[in-house]
Amino acid sequence: MRNYNSRKRILVTGGAGFLGSHLIDRLLDRGDEVVCVDNLFTGAKRNIEHLHSHPRLEFMRHDVTFPLYIEVDQIYNLACPASPIHYRHDPVQTTKTSVHGAINMLGLAKRLRARIFQASTSEVYGDPAIHPQPESYWGNVNPIGPRSCYDEGKRCAETLFFDYYRQHNLDIRVARIFNTYGPRMHPNDGRVVSNFIVQALKGEPITIYGEGQQTRSFCYVDDLIDGIVRFVDAEPGFAGPINLGNPSEFTIRELAQQVLDIVGEKSKLVFCPLPADDPTQRKPDIALAREKLGWEPRVKLEEGLKKTVSYFEDLLLEGE
C-alpha cells in the first residue's frame, strides 16, 4: 500500500486485549491510523473505550481464523487467548487462532507487501532445561498436554512466519513475550499477577500452586510495548525471534509477598497442587534485545505492581 505521508495505517489484531490496547495507545500517540480487530473472546471494549471518538481509530469485530480484506501498511498480530483459563476453555479454537490466524495475516501481508509482527511467547520454551532462556534454545514442550494448544500453536505460528520469510521474502518480526503485567489485565484470566492482586484486594486467600518456589520474570506493560515498537520500527534485516521480557527473576512466593506489602496483610497464603506442565522457572536472556534494539526494561516490579493495584482497585469499585 502506498503511503503519501509519514502517517501509517496499522492493523492490530487482538487490539481490544491487554497488550493490544496499550499498543494502540502508543501508535495513536505518535500519529498513526489504527484498525483494531478483535472478536472480543478475551478482549474487552472497555480497554479501548477511552478512544471511542478518536478520529484515527477504527474498530472491527472479526475473528482472525477467517480471512480479512483490508488495506494497511503494517500488521501487528496479537490475536490469541494468552492465559491458561481462557485457552483451555476452547483449546481447538486456541490452536486455530494461532495457526489459521497466522496464515490469514501472513496472506494479507504478502498481498500488501506489509511488514508484519507476530506476538509469540516464552511458552515456546516449555519447561526449560536451560536457564535463562536464549533465543537459540529449541524448548522442552509437551505436544499433547493441556497447555499444548497454546504452546504448540505459537510454535507453529513461528514456523509459518519464517517459512513466509524464506519462501516469499516477507518482512516479518517475531518476538517471544515473557510474563507481562499492568493495567487492563483481565481480572479473571487466571494469571498470577492479576490473581494475587484481586484476591488480596478482596481479602480472599492468595492461591499459590506448588510450594511457590517456581520462578517468573515480570515485565511491566509499558516496557514491553516500547520493545515491540522499537523492534517493528527497526531497519529491515533482523526478523528475530527476539526475547522481550524482564530478566529480574522472582519466586511466586516473593511476588505474593510484594502484593501483600502493597495492598495490606489481609490475606493468607493457600497452597494448591501444581498444574500439569507448569514451568518451574522462566527468565529471558535479553542480550539480543539489548544489542539489536538498545532495549531493556526500566520499571521495577514494586513500581509496576502499585500501578496495577490502583487499576484493579478502580475496577472493583466499578463492579467490573
Side-chain angles (χ1 to χ4, degrees), residues 10 19 32 47 58-59 66 70-71 90 100 104 121 134 233 263 265 267 282 290 307 310 318-319:
I10 300 177
L19 296 182
D32 293 318
N47 289 336
E58 176 185 348
F59 175 76
F66 297 95
I70 193 172
E71 305 295 317
D90 191 344
H100 291 187
N104 288 329
T121 172
D233 287 348
V263 175
E265 296 275 356
S267 300
R282 187 58 58 73
R290 290 190 178 108
K307 294 178 180 180
S310 178
E318 294 169 7

Side-chain angles (χ1 to χ4, degrees), residues 11-16 24 35-39 58-64 68 70 79:
L11 168 63
V12 179
T13 71
I24 288 174
V35 180
C36 170
V37 166
D38 204 300
N39 68 354
E58 176 185 348
F59 175 76
M60 183 184 302
R61 187 161 185 170
H62 179 82
D63 189 325
V64 295
L68 180 65
I70 193 172

